[in-house]
């Protein structure tokens, strides 16, 4: 199954999540690409939309390959398998983490000035991304949701490798995934349009979702 774009993926994903409509749900997208997908899910479930900021820790000479991820509230996830065969030094790991922590802090502070965090305590939190490769950022986001008091965490994505989905069931109560190919490639390969999502688009979608929720 190829998705036209992230909005199309979100609408298809929302159909699989209809059973959550009667629960006290908050939908959180992973910026930036997961937010357009999460927006469609939140709209279909008539649920509030927020984000959980996470940053991939990329291997210095192959940035798209994650050896881990960090998230809000000091959450850190490390992939020991990737570290094992990349043989990164402690200094290299620390340098990447320091850089990404600074970026995470800057982005979080800027966004939260305009969009205060929606409380997750005691609620069902649906964590949404546009796809999963290694699973590091998704794992970090789920851990952030737990740290913020979620009662239940559902991880929902359009596409992810089958073996990664199996592993992620350890950090979420449920993983909902539309496509679980044995041969995966890259997330973008499952979309006709996989253009970059900007910070401005993320903020626009959050404002739109907030306005919708305030309507009588």
């Amino acid at each position: 199954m190829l998705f036209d774009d992230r909005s199309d993926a979100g609408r298809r994903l929302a159909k699989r999540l209809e059973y959550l409509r009667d629960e006290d749900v908050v939908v959180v997208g992973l910026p930036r690409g997961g937010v357009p997908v999460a927006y469609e899910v939140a709209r279909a479930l008539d649920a509030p939309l927020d984000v959980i900021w996470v940053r991939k820790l990329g291997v210095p000479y192959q940035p798209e390959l994650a050896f881990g991820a960090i998230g809000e509230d000091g959450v850190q996830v490390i992939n020991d398998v990737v570290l094992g065969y990349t043989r990164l030094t402690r200094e290299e790991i620390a340098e990447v983490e320091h850089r990404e922590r600074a970026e995470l802090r800057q982005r979080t502070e800027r966004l939260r000035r305009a969009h205060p965090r929606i409380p997750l305590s005691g609620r069902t939190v649906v964590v949404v991304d546009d796809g999963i490769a290694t699973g590091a950022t998704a794992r970090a986001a789920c851990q952030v949701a737990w740290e913020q008091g979620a009662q239940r965490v559902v991880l929902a994505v359009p596409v992810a490798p089958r073996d990664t989905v199996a592993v992620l069931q350890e950090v979420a109560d449920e993983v909902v995934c539309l496509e679980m190919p044995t041969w995966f490639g890259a997330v973008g390969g499952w979309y006709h349009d996989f253009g970059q999502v900007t910070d401005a688009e993320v903020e626009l979608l959050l404002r739109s979702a907030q306005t919708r929720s305030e309507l009588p």
Side-chain angles (χ1 to χ4, degrees), residues 70-174:
I70 54 173
E72 298 179 60
D73 300 333
V75 166
Q76 181 193 60
V77 171
I78 295 296
N79 188 321
D80 292 326
V81 174
V82 174
L83 278 185
Y85 65 76
T86 56
R87 298 184 180 180
L88 297 179
T89 66
R90 290 183 180 180
E91 290 75 16
E92 288 172 324
I93 294 170
E95 182 179 352
V96 172
E97 183 175 354
H98 178 76
R99 181 178 67 248
E100 296 301 337
R101 282 276 178 208
E103 183 71 17
L104 177 70
R105 182 169 55 254
Q106 180 183 37
R107 289 178 180 273
T108 302
E109 290 175 353
R110 183 172 63 224
L111 181 75
R112 292 307 180 196
R113 283 196 291 267
H115 302 279
R117 179 184 287 181
I118 294 176
L120 304 184
S121 182
R123 308 174 84 170
T124 295
V125 180
V126 182
V127 178
V128 179
D129 203 358
D130 53 12
I132 292 174
T134 65
T137 52
R139 180 182 289 270
C142 289
Q143 290 190 8
V144 171
W146 289 120
E147 290 285 341
Q148 293 182 17
Q151 182 177 56
R152 181 183 179 198
V153 174
V154 177
L155 176 61
V157 293
V159 61
R162 187 174 300 275
D163 56 351
T164 301
V165 170
V167 172
L168 288 171
Q169 288 172 344
E170 300 173 0
V171 295
D173 292 298
E174 186 176 358

Side-chain angles (χ1 to χ4, degrees), residues 5-6 32 39 43 70 75 121 156 160 166 168 188 215:
D5 54 21
R6 292 179 176 90
R32 296 184 296 255
Y39 177 83
R43 183 166 67 171
I70 54 173
V75 166
S121 182
L168 288 171
L215 293 175

Side-chain angles (χ1 to χ4, degrees), residues 11 18 100 158 166 170 182 198 200 213:
R11 289 189 291 269
E18 277 289 335
E100 296 301 337
E170 300 173 0
T182 302
T198 65
S213 67

